[in-house]
């Protein structure tokens, strides 16, 4: 009788263990969401990994500044041309005043005039300084700017070959220190104000001459730029 009782006890134990295993499997299946095995395996594997922290995407600023201008200032960015395919640009308060996209920039000196009080552009023109007699019209254009105007000037290609002395005098009268140093294909940018004073800390002018040994492009110097913030009219 004892061997029979021992065998029956083993059978009962096996049946009980099987039921427990089946019930455990059933509970596990109910608790785990319905997902592919590979996804579940990835989730288990990723538990031991450190979370990857991603820096937030920087907010774009006016005229592509790195840092925002104060609300009581105008943002500006001037970019000279550089090489045949890199045209000059003038940006003011995040508005492109002159550029290839607008089709209003060309070889020579490109000028945009802005009303300082309203911040609105009043005129834009380009003056070819390699061919034609355009120094006279450019001088008149500069002198026609109304009081309390901002003038932005950038070169693309050559801005000096046919630049005469009267034009140089008109630009020099606005505060330029480099206009008489312009050479063939010099990259040049300049900010001027008529009827008001700009803060002394603002960079107003920059120039880069063509140099066969140091040119970024074949026969062309690198483009240059200046950017900043101009205080708005408080009157």
């Amino acid at each position: 009788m004892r061997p029979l009782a021992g065998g029956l006890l083993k059978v009962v134990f096996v049946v009980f263990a099987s039921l427990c295993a089946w019930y455990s499997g059933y509970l596990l299946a109910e608790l785990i969401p319905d997902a592919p095995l590979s996804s579940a395996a990835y989730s288990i594997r990723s538990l031991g990994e450190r979370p990857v922290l991603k820096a937030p995407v920087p907010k774009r600023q006016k005229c592509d500044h790195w840092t925002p201008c104060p609300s009581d200032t105008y943002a500006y960015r001037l970019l000279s041309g550089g090489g045949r395919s890199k045209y000059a640009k003038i940006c003011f308060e995040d508005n492109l005043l002159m550029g290839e996209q607008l089709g209003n920039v060309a070889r020579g000196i490109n000028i945009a005039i802005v009303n300082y009080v309203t911040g609105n552009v009043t005129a834009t023109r380009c003056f070819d300084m390699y061919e034609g007699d355009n120094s006279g019209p450019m001088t008149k254009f500069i002198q026609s700017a109304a009081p309390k105007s901002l003038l932005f000037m950038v070169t693309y290609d050559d801005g000096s070959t046919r630049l005469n002395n009267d034009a140089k005098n008109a630009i020099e009268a606005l505060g330029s220190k480099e206009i008489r140093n312009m050479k063939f294909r010099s990259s040049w940018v300049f900010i001027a104000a008529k009827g008001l004073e700009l803060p002394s800390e603002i960079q107003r002018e920059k120039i880069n001459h063509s140099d066969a040994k140091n040119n970024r492009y074949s026969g062309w110097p690198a483009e240059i730029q200046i950017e900043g913030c101009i205080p708005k009219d408080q009157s």
Side-chain angles (χ1 to χ4, degrees):
M1 292 296 291
R2 287 183 179 179
L4 182 61
L8 183 60
L9 185 61
K10 288 182 180 180
V11 171
V12 172
F13 177 77
V14 170
V15 171
F16 179 74
S18 299
L19 288 172
C20 289
W22 173 85
Y23 187 67
S24 297
Y26 171 78
L27 286 177
L28 188 63
E30 288 296 319
L31 292 173
I32 295 179
D34 186 15
L37 183 60
S38 60
S39 177
Y42 174 79
S43 298
I44 294 172
R45 188 169 62 253
S46 65
L47 289 176
E49 297 178 356
R50 293 183 177 181
V52 178
L53 300 178
K54 294 184 178 180
V57 178
K59 181 181 177 181
R60 184 186 171 280
Q61 306 299 336
K62 290 180 179 180
C63 293
D64 294 321
H65 283 201
W66 282 106
T67 57
C69 283
S71 59
D72 59 347
T73 64
Y74 294 123
Y76 66 87
R77 181 170 180 256
L78 277 63
L79 179 69
S80 74
R84 293 186 182 277
S85 60
K86 294 185 179 296
Y87 287 80
K89 294 180 181 179
I90 298 176
C91 178
F92 182 78
E93 276 296 274
D94 216 25
N95 295 313
L96 184 64
L97 305 187
M98 302 191 76
E100 182 183 11
Q101 300 93 317
L102 300 178
N104 63 348
V105 67
R107 179 178 65 188
I109 298 178
N110 300 267
I111 306 175
I113 301 176
V114 172
N115 184 308
Y116 173 67
V117 178
T118 64
N120 296 325
V121 60
T122 57
T124 61
R125 281 192 64 180
C126 50
F127 299 90
D128 191 344
M129 288 294 134
Y130 185 73
E131 292 182 336
D133 184 13
N134 295 304
S135 281
M138 185 178 74
T139 301
K140 291 180 180 178
F141 180 73
I142 292 171
Q143 292 174 340
S144 71
K148 287 205 168 184
S149 289
L150 299 172
L151 293 90
F152 303 96
M153 307 184 192
V154 294
T155 57
Y156 168 66
D157 199 334
D158 179 40
S160 68
T161 298
R162 298 185 68 85
L163 183 67
N164 68 22
N165 198 54
D166 287 342
K168 292 177 182 178
N169 287 339
I171 295 174
E172 195 172 49
L174 292 172
S176 172
K177 305 297 183 185
E178 299 288 354
I179 191 63
R180 295 191 181 278
N181 298 324
M182 286 267 283
K183 300 177 182 178
F184 179 69
R185 283 185 177 166
S186 292
S187 294
W188 175 71
V189 293
F190 176 54
I191 301 173
K194 187 174 181 180
L196 64 129
E197 290 290 331
L198 292 175
S200 59
E201 66 270 16
I202 288 180
Q203 184 179 16
R204 298 182 58 184
E205 192 172 22
K206 198 171 183 179
I207 195 168
N208 186 26
H209 300 298
S210 180
D211 184 336
K213 294 182 179 180
N214 300 315
N215 282 342
R216 176 177 295 177
Y217 314 102
S218 178
W220 303 71
E223 60 271 34
I224 55 175
Q225 71 172 23
I226 54 177
E227 63 180 43
C229 312
I230 298 174
K232 293 181 180 179
D233 180 49
Q234 301 299 322
S235 59

